Amino acid sequence: GLLRKNDWPFSQRGQSGLWVSELFPHLATVADELTVIRSMYSDTSNHTPALFMSNSGFQTNGFPSLGGWLSYGLGNASDSLPAFAVIPYRRGAPSGGSANWNNGFLPGEHQGVVFRSSEQPVRDLFPPKQVSEEAREATDGLLAYMQHKQLQRLGGVDDILGARLRSYELAARMQVSVPEVADLDSEPRHIVESYGLAGKETGDFARNCILARRLLERGVRFVQLFSGGPLGGKPRTSWDGHEDMISNHTREALRIDQPVAALLKDLKQRGMLEDTLVVTMGEFGRTPKINGSLGRDHFATAWSASLHGGRTVPGAVYGKTDAKGECVVEGEIGAGEMFATILEAAGIDHKREYHVGARPIPLVNPGIKPVSELIA
């Protein structure tokens, strides 16, 4: 029938003998440090709710994202950068857009701040150039006056106003810190070469990976990179390989393989992997059967992910599917369980509740537990 063999050869790599596709020759060089999960599943095969599930533990919009919970639970380790940074791919945001990194019902300071490895790393951080220094000072003075009057009226600071005031204060400090952290020209030649920064195919994602490392170095708690792009067009310019799977995945893998492998090696060389967990995953997988356009469609029943660093067990493989890759036969892990596992790895109790008024809201759906075998 339509069942199709793998389009790329696999070979065993490293001392662990991990089977790695030829799509990822650079990642294969760190095979002994990866924890590979072969038994992921999701409750939905539609992009937007599946992305929400991966990012918040719930299929519906409005719940805090993982980065928001880490920002809230761990606090900010930097006084000049946000705790939660998001680096979208230049071709466009993922399905669902900014809802994938929102703060939900948490204070606004826990929403992801979008960074771009471009001339304007954070949009609207600086006033337009045509606005004079006098006008900026007058604006700041008026803002301070309005805040003072509001505090007098309220008799103190409420959560919403407090978050707004802190966001203005952080933005002012970011006007100094962001240009420095986004200055990739200061990176030495060996970093430029290892990440593929000058490469036509690898350059964009290499810039994002280097920016991610620089943010982590400076105390940002959670950095989220997206690879892919808009879902429209045929063939699609993203990992959504409904058409011509071979050219689609060859192109997308080429863009990320070298930069991601370089990031993992760079973090290790700097001694950062002991307290940095790198998670590589999508919202679901692809069918083991080919369609009429030589592509593979959405498949939420069985797919793979990997972990690296933190408290993970290096060189391990968890879970198993049947021979066709159609269903999980051992160690099934849902997207919600992965969400809970990452929280647990960061030292946050997944059983905690957040009270919105008098209503307790769980961090994850009741019954979902972290997978203890993945964390040492």
Side-chain angles (χ1 to χ4, degrees):
L2 296 175
L3 190 67
R4 183 180 173 107
K5 69 176 184 179
N6 49 291
D7 291 309
W8 297 272
F10 281 71
S11 57
Q12 289 182 284
R13 302 300 296 266
Q15 296 296 316
S16 62
L18 180 70
W19 289 94
V20 183
S21 165
E22 287 189 0
L23 268 176
F24 300 107
H26 292 276
L27 277 172
T29 63
V30 294
D32 288 338
E33 300 172 24
L34 298 176
T35 301
V36 176
I37 304 165
R38 293 177 174 163
S39 51
M40 295 289 300
Y41 79 94
S42 182
D43 294 327
T44 174
S45 59
N46 290 323
H47 282 294
T48 302
L51 277 162
F52 290 165
M53 188 75 192
S54 297
N55 284 296
S56 73
F58 296 87
Q59 287 190 46
T60 52
N61 187 13
F63 289 90
S65 61
L66 179 61
W69 279 125
L70 293 177
S71 170
Y72 175 77
L74 301 178
N76 196 340
S78 169
D79 61 359
S80 59
L81 290 168
F84 177 17
V86 179
I87 309 177
Y89 202 51
R90 189 162 69 171
R91 286 183 300 188
S95 180
S98 61
N100 289 292
W101 52 83
N102 71 10
N103 56 293
F105 40 73
L106 295 175
E109 66 199 275
H110 302 298
Q111 178 170 333
V113 175
V114 175
F115 280 73
R116 291 175 173 83
S117 54
S118 62
E119 294 181 0
Q120 192 180 31
V122 178
R123 289 180 179 174
D124 303 320
L125 182 60
F126 296 95
K129 293 181 179 179
Q130 62 267 29
V131 178
S132 68
E133 185 67 28
E134 293 77 14
R136 288 198 292 269
E137 291 178 356
T139 300
D140 292 342
L142 176 61
L143 180 62
Y145 172 77
M146 293 171 64
Q147 291 172 350
H148 175 71
K149 299 297 288 185
Q150 180 75 340
L151 290 175
Q152 284 186 327
R153 186 181 70 82
L154 293 173
V157 182
D158 66 1
D159 289 342
I160 296 176
L161 179 59
R164 178 63 59 87
L165 295 179
R166 288 189 293 272
S167 72
Y168 279 117
E169 294 166 357
L170 176 60
R173 294 191 293 271
M174 286 172 61
Q175 289 180 340
V176 176
S177 63
V178 166
E180 185 274 331
V181 75
D183 180 18
L184 305 192
D185 292 337
S186 63
E187 292 290 331
R189 175 172 291 277
H190 75 273
I191 291 293
V192 171
E193 293 176 349
S194 65
Y195 279 82
L197 187 58
K200 179 180 178 181
E201 293 84 5
T202 56
D204 282 347
F205 206 69
R207 293 185 69 85
N208 291 354
C209 287
I210 296 173
L211 177 59
R213 189 217 75 216
R214 292 173 68 91
L215 288 167
L216 291 169
E217 280 183 305
R218 289 157 178 79
V220 176
R221 292 288 192 186
F222 187 83
V223 181
Q224 186 166 20
L225 296 98
F226 287 91
S227 164
L231 301 177
K234 289 187 179 182
R236 299 166 210 232
T237 54
S238 70
W239 285 99
D240 197 25
H242 291 284
E243 305 89 21
D244 195 358
M245 186 74 170
I246 295 178
S247 65
N248 176 285
H249 274 34
T250 298
R251 179 187 65 241
E252 299 304 320
L254 179 62
R255 287 171 172 158
I256 73 164
D257 176 44
Q258 181 178 350
V260 172
L263 174 61
L264 301 181
K265 294 176 182 178
D266 200 4
L267 291 173
K268 181 179 180 180
Q269 182 269 327
R270 294 169 191 269
M272 296 174 63
L273 273 182
E274 292 182 4
D275 56 5
T276 303
L277 174 64
V278 182
V279 182
T280 307
M281 61 182 284
E283 69 270 41
F284 44 62
R286 314 304 299 187
T287 56
K289 295 181 179 180
I290 208 79
N291 62 26
S293 301
L294 300 180
R296 298 178 187 269
D297 299 319
H298 301 179
F299 195 64
T301 309
W303 43 287
S304 297
S306 71
L307 306 175
H308 186 267
R311 295 159 50 204
T312 58
V313 182
V317 174
Y318 183 89
K320 184 179 179 180
T321 63
D322 64 359
K324 297 179 181 179
E326 287 187 310
C327 62
V328 175
V329 296
E330 184 179 305
E332 189 175 61
I333 299 178
E337 278 80 13
M338 175 67 89
F339 185 87
T341 301
I342 297 170
L343 286 175
E344 198 78 7
I348 297 177
D349 184 1
H350 73 285
K351 298 187 293 297
R352 285 180 59 180
E353 294 179 334
Y354 182 90
H355 285 77
V356 181
R359 181 184 178 189
I361 305 291
L363 269 65
V364 297
N365 270 322
I368 288 180
K369 299 178 180 180
V371 184
S372 59
E373 293 91 335
L374 297 178
I375 305 299

